Amino acid sequence: MDVIEFKNNLKQNLNLIQKELQNKTYQHSAYTTFYVKDPKLRKINKACVRDRVVHHILFRKLYWYFDRTFIFDSYSCRIEKGTHKAVRRLHELFNKESQNNTKTCWVLKCDIKKFFDNVDQETLLSLIARRVKDGDAMWLIELIIKSFPAGLPLGNITSQLFSNIYLHELDLFIKHTLKVKYYIRYCDDFVILNTDRDYLEGLIPKIDVFLKNNLKLSLHPNKIHIRKYHQGIDFLGYVSFPNHSILRVKTKERMFVKVKSRLAQYESGAIKKESFEATMNSYLGMLKHCNAHNVRQELMDILIY
């Protein structure tokens, strides 16, 4: 409804936003908070429509300016990147490090503890100010960042870019200071591949110290894992093995719950056929990226029965 109301007076609303930005009288409104389970419970903070318009304006201005500075193997919220390309890249790096599966390859997998909650806003602003020299732009960037009491709000499109700017510092440390050859990051999850397990063990404290001293973050102590690639690497919804990937069990379970729920909604008339088909096509598309013949058949059986 809020989008419909905004569109009903679109020209006037856009003109008012433009005037407020030019005069620097624009103020960010309060957020609406709700929770989603995906699969763990996440707190989402939604800005109002006019603020989301401003977020998109800023995002479009800043995206290419910063994206060209990021490392190749950063895959979150970037055009022509994403989860599927990150998983394919994981296979590619495994083949290189293991010399086509002729050597044992170990994988260090880490997660940053409560990343979005713990982003230091002043540190983020200083990182952005290194490249953005325009005072008007920095005024708006600071206003949006400080519209939230602490950290970054899950829900803003700007948070996607700001998180990559923030963790680009970690990327540079790992790639340039630690000289790590095979490293992939997707938001606050990252993996490092090497044939030497002890080498990977030695990286953990160095990375944690860097995060604490430079970004006021820390590794999640319960989400640091080192395992052989052939044991299966659980990363971004898939479990990767040397010659194939399969869908993570929890991802599969969540998919079936969602499909059954959407099917019930369609059969009751709560949603249209197009909406249900969009859900199905989304999941069928996801299954194309792994060995999932049996899962696909189970999914189709739901529709038959």
Side-chain angles (χ1 to χ4, degrees):
M1 286 304 301
D2 53 355
V3 174
I4 292 172
E5 289 174 9
F6 189 88
K7 287 181 71 176
N8 284 341
N9 295 289
L10 184 61
K11 187 174 181 180
Q12 298 93 316
N13 286 328
L14 293 178
N15 285 340
L16 179 59
I17 289 173
Q18 185 182 41
K19 183 178 179 181
E20 290 180 358
L21 290 174
Q22 289 172 337
N23 298 335
K24 291 187 179 178
T25 56
Y26 166 75
Q27 292 294 321
H28 201 286
S29 301
Y31 290 86
T32 301
T33 301
F34 61 94
Y35 291 86
V36 297
K37 198 169 183 181
D38 182 36
K40 66 180 180 181
L41 199 65
R42 295 183 186 275
K43 185 178 181 181
I44 306 297
N45 296 279
K46 187 183 80 167
C48 69
V49 178
R50 73 189 307 269
D51 290 333
R52 297 205 300 273
V53 169
V54 175
H55 296 170
H56 276 269
I57 293 169
L58 184 64
F59 180 85
R60 291 181 183 186
K61 289 292 184 181
L62 293 180
Y63 176 83
W64 290 111
Y65 189 64
F66 278 97
D67 187 77
R68 65 191 181 193
T69 70
F70 297 154
I71 67 167
F72 180 84
D73 285 316
S74 165
Y75 285 86
S76 174
C77 304
R78 296 180 66 192
I79 295 170
E80 297 186 354
K81 296 288 184 176
T83 57
H84 299 136
K85 288 196 175 181
V87 172
R88 285 201 296 273
R89 180 65 167 165
L90 180 62
H91 282 293
E92 182 182 328
L93 296 187
F94 159 74
N95 285 327
K96 288 182 178 180
E97 180 62 8
S98 69
Q99 295 183 15
N100 292 321
N101 203 18
T102 61
K103 291 187 176 182
T104 300
C105 180
W106 296 86
V107 180
L108 166 65
K109 183 173 179 287
C110 298
D111 181 284
I112 296 172
K113 187 176 181 180
K114 294 184 177 179
F115 169 68
F116 281 94
D117 291 340
N118 291 324
V119 167
D120 182 72
Q121 294 182 349
E122 294 301 327
T123 301
L124 174 61
L125 283 167
S126 69
L127 293 173
I128 295 172
R130 288 181 190 175
R131 291 189 55 81
V132 178
K133 303 303 180 183
D134 183 273
D136 293 336
M138 283 305 303
W139 165 79
L140 181 58
I141 291 167
E142 182 171 2
L143 193 151
I144 289 175
I145 289 174
K146 293 192 173 180
S147 68
F148 201 64
L152 293 174
L154 272 171
N156 282 8
I157 190 172
T158 49
S159 295
Q160 299 174 5
L161 178 60
F162 292 155
S163 65
N164 274 335
I165 293 171
Y166 204 75
L167 290 178
H168 179 58
E169 300 303 303
L170 173 64
D171 297 340
L172 294 179
F173 173 73
I174 290 176
K175 294 295 290 182
H176 296 169
T177 303
L178 297 182
K179 307 292 185 184
V180 169
K181 193 172 183 181
Y182 298 131
Y183 162 78
I184 297 171
R185 181 178 63 79
Y186 187 96
C187 196
D188 57 340
D189 292 330
F190 62 89
V191 293
I192 298 173
L193 296 83
N194 200 275
T195 54
D196 187 341
R197 192 186 195 284
D198 292 338
Y199 168 77
L200 294 178
E201 284 275 9
L203 292 177
I204 297 169
K206 295 176 184 177
I207 293 171
D208 203 36
V209 167
F210 173 84
L211 286 171
K212 289 173 180 174
N213 291 346
N214 294 272
L215 298 176
K216 300 183 181 179
L217 300 171
S218 62
L219 294 176
H220 197 304
N222 299 327
K223 295 184 179 180
I224 301 172
H225 306 287
I226 299 178
R227 60 189 289 128
K228 295 175 183 178
Y229 199 95
H230 74 254
Q231 292 176 305
I233 305 303
D234 189 339
F235 187 53
L236 304 179
Y238 299 92
V239 180
S240 297
F241 296 90
N243 298 311
H244 68 287
S245 293
I246 60 173
L247 203 61
R248 179 192 289 162
V249 172
K250 288 184 179 179
T251 304
K252 174 188 170 182
E253 292 172 350
R254 193 164 71 250
M255 176 181 69
F256 278 97
V257 168
K258 180 71 173 180
V259 168
K260 289 177 181 178
S261 172
R262 296 290 282 176
L263 180 60
Q265 289 176 320
Y266 168 56
E267 290 176 338
S268 69
I271 62 172
K272 294 182 179 180
K273 181 181 180 181
E274 292 79 10
S275 180
F276 173 71
E277 287 178 343
T279 299
M280 284 296 297
N281 289 334
S282 173
Y283 284 122
L284 289 172
M286 183 174 71
L287 296 177
K288 290 180 181 178
H289 297 274
C290 63
N291 289 31
H293 174 77
N294 292 338
V295 177
R296 191 180 294 106
Q297 188 58 52
E298 287 180 55
L299 201 59
M300 299 311 294
D301 288 345
I302 292 175
L303 303 184
I304 295 171
Y305 297 106

